[in-house]
Structure formats: C-alpha cells, structure tokens
Amino acid sequence: MCGIVGYIGSRDAYPILIKGLKRLEYRGYDSAGVALINNDDLNVYKTKGKVADLESFCEAKNISGHVGIAHTRWATHGEPSSVNAHPHYSESKNLAIIHNGIIENYAEIKNNLIAKGVKFRSDTDTEVLVQLIEYVQVKKNLDTLTAVQVALHQVIGAYAIALLDKREPNQIIAARKQSPLVVGIGENEFFLGSDASPIIEFTDKVVYLEDGSIAVMRLGEELKVVNILNRELNPLVHTIDMNLGQIEKCGYPHFMLKEIFEQPECLKNCMRGRINADADQVTLSAVIDYKERLLAAKRIIIVACGTSWHAGLIGKQLIETFCRIPVDVEYASEFRYRNPVVTKDDLVIAMSQSGETADTLAAIELAKRSGALIYGICNAVGSSIPRATDTGSYIHVGPEIGVASTKAFTGQVIVLAMLSLALAKEKGTIDDQTYNAVVKELSLIPDKMKEVLEQNDKIADLSRIFTYAHNVIYLGRGYSYPVALEGALKLKEISYIHAEGYPAAEMKHGPIALVDSDMPVVVIATHNAMYEKVLSNIQEIKARKGRVIALVTKGDETISRIADEVIELPKTLECLEPLLATIPLQLLAYHIAVCKDKNVDQPRNLAKSVTVE
Ligand code: F6R
C-alpha cells in the first residue's frame, strides 16, 4: 500500500516522479504529493485525489529540481486529505518524508514530542517520524543519516521511507523494515520505487533493499547501504527482466481487461520449461532441490489472503487427491494470531501475488520458528515473501496492476497443479495414466482459455442485466466451490455489489431464504462428478424464481433448458476446470463494473499490495 518514488541525478526530477507515481497508483490512490529540492528550497506539493489531481495542482508551481521524492497514499492514520497526504515536512521544514507502512508506537512518540513543544500539522503516523528525526537531529546535533538511524531505533512498526534534507541537497536517504523498496542504479543517478515499475524505463540494474537496511543515495557517489547501527552492507545488484509493455495498458481500456486476456500467454510462460507434454513430465526445480524434505512432509499448511487463499483451496483438493497428504488452508491473518500447531514435519506453502502481504509474511515468520519447511508461490520477483521462504516457485505471469487479481489466480492454480503432480510422482501416489492425462491437459489449457475469452462480447451483453442487482450468489461444488468464492470476490470488490460464494449444497441450510425473482444466482454447473447434484441445486433455485446464470460444459442441453442464461466452457479434466470457469466470472465482474461506471483498476478503499495488517 502507498507508492514511493524517488529520483536524484541530472535530469528534471518532477516528470520522472509523476510518471513513477502513475505506475504505482495501483498501490494507493486517495492522495498524492511530491517534494523537490531546488537550490536552497525544499518544496512540497500535495493534494487529495489521484496523481492527475496532483499534476493539476502543480501546474502553476515551481517544479524544477534534480532531486525529489513522491508518494501516492492509501490512508491508514488520518482521513484522505491534503494535510494528511505525503510528503510531510518536519516543523522547521528542513526535512520532508514519505512513508509506506504503520508506525505502531506513533501515539506514544507523538505525545512525548508534543510535551517537548513540537507542533504537528497532520493526523498521520508519518509526520511523527519526521518530527522525531528532526528532534534527535537538533538535540544531538547529528547529520541526517545518523538522525534517521537514531530515530528508527525508537520506532516500532513497518516502514519504507524516503527523506530529503534541504541542507544536504544532493542526497536521498531511504530505509525499509517490512515494506518493500527498490533502488535503481543509472549513470550518475539513482531511482527509488516501492517496486521496480517506476524504474525499468530508465535502468535494469536494481537493488532490492533488505529488511533493516538504509540506502544513502548521493550525487557523484556509489550507492551506500548501511544498517541501523551504521554497519556497512553489501548491496546485491540484480538485472531485472521486465519490459514496459508489461506495465502498460497496450490498447486495453483497463489493466484488468488486459490481464484477463493475457492469461493464455501468461500460463504458457508459467509452464515453460516445467511441463513437457510430449515426455509426460513436470519438473519443478524446488521439488528437485528439496525432494527429501518435501517427501517427508506429514501435512501441508497453505497460508494466504484473498484471491491467493481461494487458489489455496483449489491447491488443497489437488494435493490431497494426487499426493494423499492432508492439507489445511489458512487465512494468514488468522493463522498468525491463533497459536497454531506447526511442526518441523509440516510443509507451509505461502501464496501471494505481490509477495509483500504483511499477514502472509508474519505467518511465514511464525511457521519458521517451528522448523517447518516454507515454500513460496509468488508472482513479484525479488519481493519479500520469496526472500523469506526456504524455496518455492514463481508463477511468472508478469506484473499484475489491476487491483482485482486475475492472472495471478490462474497462475497460482497452475503452479499448484504442477507441484501436486511433481510431488505425487515422487511419492508414487498417482498412477501413470492419471499423471499423463493431467500433464497433457495442462498444456491444452491456454488454447481452451482462448475459446472462453472469445465469449467476451456475449458476457458483456449479459452483464447489463446484473446492474440492477443488489446481491448475487455464486454456487459451485468440489473444485468449483473456490471458483464461486473467487467470482463473488471479484464482483464485490470492483462493482460494489454484495456477492457471496457458497458450496451449492449449503444453499438449503440457509442462504436459499434469500432467493427470489430479484436474485441472480451464478452456478458453476460443468459436466463432472457433481453434475447431477448441481442440477438439483439449480432446480431448487428455479423453483423459488431465482434467475440462474449457469456455466456449463459445451454441448450441455439439460441445464441450458432450465437456466436463464448459459456460458459454455470447453471440456477439460475436473481438476483443471477452475482454470476455465474463472475466466467468465472475471469478465462478468469486469463488465458489470464498467456498466456501473466504477473505477475498475482502482476500486474504492482497496490497494494492490497490502503491506499493513
Ligand atoms: C482480490 C485481491 C486480494 C489479494 C489479497 C492477497 O482481487 O487482489 O484479495 O488477493 O490482498 O494479496 P497477495 O496475493 O498479493 O498476497
């Protein structure tokens, strides 16, 4: 949450900062601001609203300067407003700071500072930090770096910060603890970002700052990285493999639509080098490297949040079916606080698109203390979760920018399918015929997905009938139950229509009371082992005048006669059906939100990367 950008070099900083903020706007978008050093001035401009509002606000301002920091905010402390927007000045206005994260002991520090006469302008925890830095700097007569180190020593919480001091105009100081920060290294210039997206246009050389490190970027000097005790650290320079096309809309009206349509290609990337359909083989390097410990696992615990948690529910069914190991799927936010039983014989799989979700990271730390092997399934390369895990597999679907997760979900399911097959093969719990059939079918999924995507216009038409709805129920059974949960989540987060996913048979235990002629019910009713049961559930809904939109297997005539609307899916193996059934639900949510004129890529109150609890 919150986006951080910085620049120091010989170019004009402002255009680089604004462009960077636009690339990071998916992280938070309730207010934005910029601080620029210009000769002896440290100018801060900030406003409520989006980056475009900041640009209008800055039109008549002095935006020159070669050193600057900028921020797009997702509010935690204090409502979205110009006053609470970052950057925040210190009282003397010598310092300006931007911050992502939460300072947990901010109230205590603030009260101490107030008692010492410091005056505050905003309600934020961030201002507390910059005031603290200034207080220790003045009191102990410290240079900026030492003041930052002393102040951070007193802080409890998570942060990624960038700080300017107008008396040291050729310097940016950045620090991180539990919130990501990336430094880009150019020719006599440095870039800073919450992730690499604002940087890749300018350089492919980056340093992912480690937890607890402080980067000092000075004009004409090498990057210096130290820790809070001023011990010098060796920054590891990575070459990033990302191109601009991956983070631009490429002609699509929204990132979400682009990302939905990219799925066939993304899944090919995800399987490349791992699935060999001709040789009937799945190879995951992590399974080779950690074979013994993986095979020794007596239980698997999947920890994740939101959409990643839904993918985990599908993973449970895949792993239990093929590997015969019990799997628990836990919300990371609950797991971390409920003293769970985890042993060294457990395998903990942490799933996250962003690789930065605070709850999932905390769940990993907890599981690590019990000696369990931690396996990460993430998208963002170099992010915190892959670095915190023992081993893992990237999903390789490219940057996901639309706030509603789409291609990461199907990528996660593909990785879970590959992992379950690779493990099952090693354990001998899968017969050759099943193994070969699933491997072959996985390689056919991208083309089958394309067939589903061809129904986009039809789904767009269908979506119009939903705009009247205040509530929608999604039903599925077996592998389709998590798909129902995911369909409902997509709808509620971008259209703000209340939606719930249920296992279809649970309807009669309560939710069926909601069904009347105003209630659309989306049912995943593909031709599999549960078909007859789901058919009965549809009859029950129709008997109560519910409006049924059914996802059926191509050629199904029975359900097509009963349902009000049908969307056809190509036939595939039951265990891989989620990969196809999810697509129409993503498209449905997208088109409904567009019909309702909602901001699809940046839905209200949400942010892409949830780096706070
Ligand atoms: C839903 C969505 C969120 C995320 C959740 C976990 O569309 O995007 O529910 O899935 O915040 O995020 P990651 O996967 O980055 O850990």
Side-chain angles (χ1 to χ4, degrees):
M1 340 198 87
C2 300
I4 284 179
V5 198
Y7 176 74
I8 178 164
S10 54
R11 313 182 205 214
D12 279 336
Y14 180 77
I16 295 173
L17 297 173
I18 291 292
K19 209 181 221 182
L21 283 186
K22 285 186 178 162
R23 298 213 194 285
L24 288 176
E25 209 168 15
Y26 70 90
R27 298 178 73 91
Y29 31 79
D30 56 46
S31 51
V34 57
L36 293 156
I37 292 192
N38 181 20
N39 299 321
D40 291 336
D41 291 331
L42 173 55
N43 295 318
V44 169
Y45 308 120
K46 52 187 190 171
T47 184
K48 185 175 169 188
K50 299 201 179 273
V51 179
D53 298 306
L54 176 66
E55 275 181 290
S56 314
F57 182 76
C58 288
E59 258 162 27
K61 305 276 191 300
N62 178 357
I63 48 162
S64 39
H66 302 285
V67 181
I69 54 176
H71 188 264
T72 174
R73 179 171 186 245
W74 186 86
T76 57
H77 293 64
E79 57 163 10
S81 68
S82 303
V83 173
N84 289 334
H86 303 202
H88 288 280
Y89 275 128
S90 59
E91 193 172 353
S92 69
K93 296 198 172 175
N94 284 333
L95 307 178
I97 200 170
I98 53 178
H99 165 223
N100 173 21
I102 290 182
I103 308 299
E104 284 172 15
N105 58 341
Y106 84 101
E108 185 192 329
I109 299 175
K110 187 171 183 173
N111 289 338
N112 281 341
L113 291 173
I114 289 173
K116 285 168 175 130
V118 177
K119 301 222 164 20
F120 283 82
R121 301 179 184 91
S122 76
D123 305 322
T124 64
D125 52 340
T126 304
E127 191 190 354
V128 173
L129 186 51
V130 74
Q131 300 282 26
L132 178 65
I133 295 171
E134 178 159 280
Y135 180 79
V136 296
Q137 187 176 29
V138 172
K139 185 149 189 251
K140 300 185 178 168
N141 192 21
L142 303 175
D143 62 72
T144 328
L145 173 61
T146 316
V148 168
Q149 289 165 322
V150 172
L152 289 182
H153 221 82
Q154 300 179 33
V155 158
I156 300 172
Y159 52 79
I161 58 163
L163 180 95
L164 296 181
D165 184 336
K166 73 174 183 185
R167 294 150 305 171
E168 295 189 58
N170 293 324
Q171 168 182 279
I172 300 178
I173 292 180
R176 77 153 275 182
K177 189 176 160 216
Q178 288 168 33
S179 283
L181 267 186
V182 185
V183 176
I185 303 174
E187 289 283 316
N188 298 320
E189 58 185 356
F190 295 107
F191 303 84
L192 183 70
S194 302
D195 64 36
S197 59
I199 297 174
I200 55 170
E201 192 173 343
F202 306 102
T203 176
D204 62 355
K205 299 275 173 287
V206 298
V207 170
Y208 297 102
L209 289 183
E210 294 292 337
D211 238 21
S213 57
I214 302 173
V216 184
M217 290 155 271
R218 285 196 188 116
L219 267 185
E221 291 182 21
E222 300 267 292
L223 174 69
K224 177 172 155 183
V225 181
V226 293
N227 69 8
I228 210 165
L229 302 171
N230 208 31
R231 192 165 59 81
E232 200 140 334
L233 308 171
N234 240 345
L236 209 63
V237 181
H238 296 260
T239 304
I240 34 174
D241 178 24
M242 206 194 277
N243 60 54
L244 269 187
Q246 288 178 303
I247 56 167
E248 287 183 341
K249 285 189 200 147
C250 300
Y252 284 92
H254 297 100
F255 280 110
M256 182 177 176
L257 192 62
K258 176 187 173 227
E259 287 159 8
I260 292 173
F261 270 85
E262 273 174 355
Q263 287 176 101
E265 225 27 64
C266 292
L267 296 196
K268 278 189 199 163
N269 291 338
C270 177
M271 290 188 275
R272 187 163 294 128
R274 293 163 161 177
I275 292 261
N276 182 342
D278 297 332
D280 291 325
Q281 214 174 0
V282 181
T283 317
L284 283 180
S285 54
V287 175
I288 298 170
D289 297 346
Y290 281 80
K291 186 169 145 190
E292 269 173 35
R293 282 201 70 188
L294 289 169
L295 293 186
K298 297 212 165 46
R299 177 178 65 149
I300 293 177
I301 305 168
I302 298 179
V303 290
C305 302
T307 288
S308 297
W309 185 79
H310 295 157
L313 292 177
I314 296 168
K316 171 182 166 75
Q317 297 188 50
L318 286 162
I319 297 169
E320 289 189 342
T321 304
F322 296 141
C323 308
R324 311 308 298 154
I325 311 174
V327 182
D328 295 334
V329 186
E330 298 262 5
Y331 283 117
S333 53
E334 289 294 313
F335 181 80
R336 64 182 289 192
Y337 284 121
R338 68 170 181 73
N339 195 13
V341 179
V342 188
T343 73
K344 61 175 179 25
D345 295 329
D346 290 325
L347 164 64
V348 172
I349 301 180
M351 309 223 323
S352 171
Q353 184 289 127
S354 62
E356 299 293 351
T357 301
D359 286 323
T360 311
L361 263 168
I364 291 172
E365 294 310 328
L366 185 150
K368 263 185 179 172
R369 291 200 284 276
S370 311
L373 179 71
I374 320 285
Y375 193 112
I377 297 182
C378 294
N379 189 32
V381 175
S383 55
S384 303
I385 292 177
R387 284 187 285 136
T389 46
D390 296 307
T391 183
S393 307
Y394 280 114
I395 61 175
H396 289 312
V397 297
E400 191 180 68
I401 292 169
V403 164
S405 186
T406 51
K407 61 180 181 172
F409 175 76
T410 46
Q412 287 166 334
V413 174
I414 289 273
V415 168
L416 286 162
M418 292 191 292
L419 178 62
S420 62
L421 288 172
L423 274 182
K425 187 76 174 172
E426 294 290 351
K427 286 177 83 74
T429 48
I430 191 168
D431 62 75
D432 286 350
Q433 205 187 342
T434 310
Y435 178 87
N436 296 349
V438 184
V439 174
K440 274 245 146 54
E441 188 62 18
L442 269 174
S443 67
L444 301 178
I445 286 291
D447 284 340
K448 293 190 178 183
M449 263 185 177
K450 282 187 193 156
E451 269 185 60
V452 182
L453 287 165
E454 278 163 16
Q455 297 179 74
N456 181 41
D457 289 347
K458 178 184 173 183
I459 296 170
D461 283 346
L462 191 64
S463 67
R464 284 191 201 108
I465 60 167
F466 274 81
T467 48
Y468 74 88
H470 296 293
N471 301 287
V472 180
I473 293 179
Y474 287 72
L475 300 178
R477 298 188 73 161
Y479 283 101
S480 299
Y481 162 52
V483 178
L485 293 178
E486 176 59 9
L489 178 62
K490 287 293 88 99
L491 185 66
K492 63 186 137 192
E493 68 185 328
I494 60 169
S495 72
Y496 318 143
I497 295 174
H498 174 244
E500 292 302 334
Y502 278 101
E506 275 296 302
M507 277 294 280
K508 56 187 173 296
H509 298 290
I512 201 161
L514 295 167
V515 175
D516 61 13
S517 56
D518 288 336
M519 174 69 91
V521 184
V522 179
V523 189
I524 302 142
T526 40
H527 218 286
N528 57 36
M530 305 305 274
Y531 179 78
E532 300 295 338
K533 309 275 178 209
V534 175
L535 181 57
S536 308
N537 298 140
I538 292 178
Q539 303 278 21
E540 288 157 12
I541 298 157
K542 285 310 299 172
R544 282 143 188 99
K545 300 196 168 38
R547 181 168 197 147
V548 171
I549 298 92
L551 269 56
V552 299
T553 305
K554 209 163 158 185
D556 185 310
E557 288 178 1
T558 313
I559 292 182
S560 304
R561 272 197 296 272
I562 316 166
D564 298 270
E565 310 286 345
V566 293
I567 299 168
E568 288 194 329
L569 302 176
K571 177 88 190 133
T572 186
L573 297 173
E574 183 171 355
C575 63
L576 302 182
E577 279 178 356
L579 292 162
L580 302 183
T582 304
I583 308 284
L585 304 189
Q586 294 170 344
L587 286 170
L588 204 55
Y590 170 80
H591 288 296
I592 293 168
V594 170
C595 277
K596 290 177 77 80
D597 207 19
K598 302 297 179 210
N599 187 336
V600 175
D601 283 336
Q602 295 171 352
R604 71 181 180 205
N605 304 341
L606 296 180
K608 184 75 186 158
S609 180
V610 188
T611 52
V612 294
E613 278 192 50

